[in-house]
Amino acid sequence: MTDTPGLNLAGFSAWLSEAHPDLAGTGTGTGPTLRATLIAGGRSNLTYRIDGPRVPLIVRRPPLGHVLASAHDMGREHRVISALAGSGVPVPPAVDLVDDTSAARVTGTPFFVMHVVDGVVLAGPRQNADYTASGLHGLGLEFAATLARLHTLDATSVGLADFGRPDGYLDRQLRTWRRQLEASRSRELPELERLQQHLEERMPPAGDLRSGIVHGDYRLDNAIIAGTADAPRIAAILDWEMATLGDPLVDLGMLGMYWNIASLAPDAVGLTRSAVDPAAGYPEFDELVDHYAEAAGIAAPDLTWYRAFAAYKLAVILEGIHYRYRQGQTLGDGFDRIGQLVEPLASTGLAHATGSTATNSTTGV
């Protein structure tokens, strides 16, 4: 077994044989012969596919170094996917959560294990050729309806009544991401500061807000797609590390940004790659909003503040990644250009906040 950065395969093999012998497989010696493939390398939590046990498994752990307070919470991610099993919101089957901080025999951090869900992640436009235009249109509408399903679930009925504090959620979100920005600060970002101030001064009235389970990073490439060319379907929603209870429109604002993110900086970095292309059949975002509202049983919402907040939140996340890159704490390619997206995102957020997206150079996000 060859170690992969951030994961001790021998340690994982020993843990799996002891904790889940039914999954450990038929390897020789003290455990199965395992192979690990790094699926996601350092922009968010690290994700590894483990082959060699009786069934393939997924291991999730925090990124290497500079783990900000409240971010990359393995316990929250494991809890929410466990709670949502059978809810109608598709999630991977959970296996176990492990606090591995006392001895670095596996990761040296908390980690959790789940089953592999068969399917593909649509992360780039070339993959659209595998589907018909009507199939992609239907997939987009299903994606919106799945978000509405999540947001209308009764948190108490799935055991998540204490998963967050809906009251004051937006104010806490702004304070949290302001702290994250301060913890990652390595340069001046005047546009981002202006956007932060604008969001603080124009927060939606608390009395007008709904509450529900919030995913926190809802976008198409955080889903596994199965089915046929004419009828693709969502097999699982991934990456629940920022899930909580709060204002569901935050998810819808984030979806709007990611749905059109390829227009932000098409040649900047792989993070802006997106399979979403209305020319291939995907619905426009306005149609997604209407379909979401119908599925959720609400009027089409005003997303002005939420789309501005989405740009701010992603800008802060990317600034944290830029900071980790400068500290040599990222795995994979493309991190040298992540920082280039922060100021354009801030400008896009200001454009949404002031209603000037039609004349802004980063229109569409």
Side-chain angles (χ1 to χ4, degrees), residues 123-207:
R126 291 183 180 179
Q127 294 170 284
N128 293 332
D130 295 331
Y131 303 92
T132 64
S134 63
L136 292 175
H137 189 268
L139 179 66
L141 297 183
E142 183 194 359
F143 198 58
T146 300
L147 184 61
R149 171 62 178 161
L150 173 68
H151 291 167
T152 54
L153 278 177
D154 178 7
T156 300
S157 70
V158 294
L160 294 175
D162 61 345
F163 195 57
R165 294 177 293 140
D167 292 344
Y169 170 72
L170 294 184
D171 181 64
R172 288 196 306 277
Q173 280 286 294
L174 278 178
R175 287 189 279 112
T176 293
W177 291 105
R178 183 169 61 241
R179 288 196 303 270
Q180 307 288 50
L181 179 59
E182 291 302 321
S184 304
R185 186 175 294 279
S186 62
R187 54 181 177 162
E188 294 298 318
L189 298 166
E191 286 287 273
L192 195 55
E193 299 284 357
R194 286 180 56 208
L195 176 57
Q196 178 178 283
Q197 181 178 356
H198 188 100
L199 290 168
E200 290 169 346
E201 293 173 351
R202 292 165 176 80
M203 192 177 301

Side-chain angles (χ1 to χ4, degrees), residues 56-113:
L57 299 172
I58 295 291
V59 174
R60 293 267 285 169
R61 58 147 291 169
L64 304 181
H66 194 61
V67 179
L68 301 174
S70 81
H72 315 295
D73 190 330
M74 298 292 95
R76 293 187 69 80
E77 192 167 7
H78 177 266
R79 181 182 174 189
V80 72
I81 66 170
S82 299
L84 292 176
S87 70
V89 176
V91 291
V95 173
D96 207 346
L97 171 69
V98 182
D99 184 356
D100 194 44
T101 55
S102 60
R105 68 171 190 164
V106 179
T107 65
T109 69
F111 70 90
F112 77 90
V113 183

Side-chain angles (χ1 to χ4, degrees), residues 124-351:
R126 291 183 180 179
Q127 294 170 284
N128 293 332
D130 295 331
Y131 303 92
T132 64
S134 63
L136 292 175
H137 189 268
L139 179 66
L141 297 183
E142 183 194 359
F143 198 58
T146 300
L147 184 61
R149 171 62 178 161
L150 173 68
H151 291 167
T152 54
L153 278 177
D154 178 7
T156 300
S157 70
V158 294
L160 294 175
D162 61 345
F163 195 57
R165 294 177 293 140
D167 292 344
Y169 170 72
L170 294 184
D171 181 64
R172 288 196 306 277
Q173 280 286 294
L174 278 178
R175 287 189 279 112
T176 293
W177 291 105
R178 183 169 61 241
R179 288 196 303 270
Q180 307 288 50
L181 179 59
E182 291 302 321
S184 304
R185 186 175 294 279
S186 62
R187 54 181 177 162
E188 294 298 318
L189 298 166
E191 286 287 273
L192 195 55
E193 299 284 357
R194 286 180 56 208
L195 176 57
Q196 178 178 283
Q197 181 178 356
H198 188 100
L199 290 168
E200 290 169 346
E201 293 173 351
R202 292 165 176 80
M203 192 177 301
D208 297 343
L209 305 182
R210 298 161 56 215
S211 66
I213 302 171
V214 176
H215 179 278
D217 196 21
Y218 196 80
R219 61 183 198 260
L220 187 61
D221 61 340
N222 272 344
I224 295 176
I225 309 303
T228 65
D230 292 320
R233 60 178 177 81
I234 300 167
I237 302 296
L238 308 175
D239 287 8
W240 294 86
E241 65 193 81
M242 291 188 282
T244 189
L245 301 184
D247 184 348
L249 294 185
V250 168
D251 272 345
L252 201 56
M254 292 295 291
L255 177 58
M257 180 188 62
Y258 283 119
W259 202 252
N260 298 309
I261 198 169
S263 64
L264 174 64
D267 301 320
V269 67
L271 179 123
T272 63
R273 290 182 305 178
S274 172
V276 177
D277 179 3
Y282 291 97
E284 297 283 358
F285 182 63
D286 287 347
E287 186 178 358
L288 286 192
V289 174
D290 289 341
H291 195 74
Y292 168 91
E294 181 180 358
I298 63 171
D302 178 2
L303 296 176
T304 300
W305 188 92
Y306 298 93
R307 297 194 72 177
F309 175 72
Y312 172 76
K313 178 178 174 179
L314 182 58
V316 174
I317 291 170
L318 297 189
E319 187 62 14
I321 295 169
H322 173 71
Y323 182 98
R324 292 204 303 273
Y325 163 74
R326 294 186 64 178
Q327 302 297 312
Q329 295 170 340
T330 52
L331 299 176
D333 299 324
F335 294 103
D336 57 327
R337 292 172 289 165
I338 284 281
Q340 298 173 15
L341 293 176
V342 175
E343 285 288 272
L345 271 170
S347 297
T348 296
L350 284 168

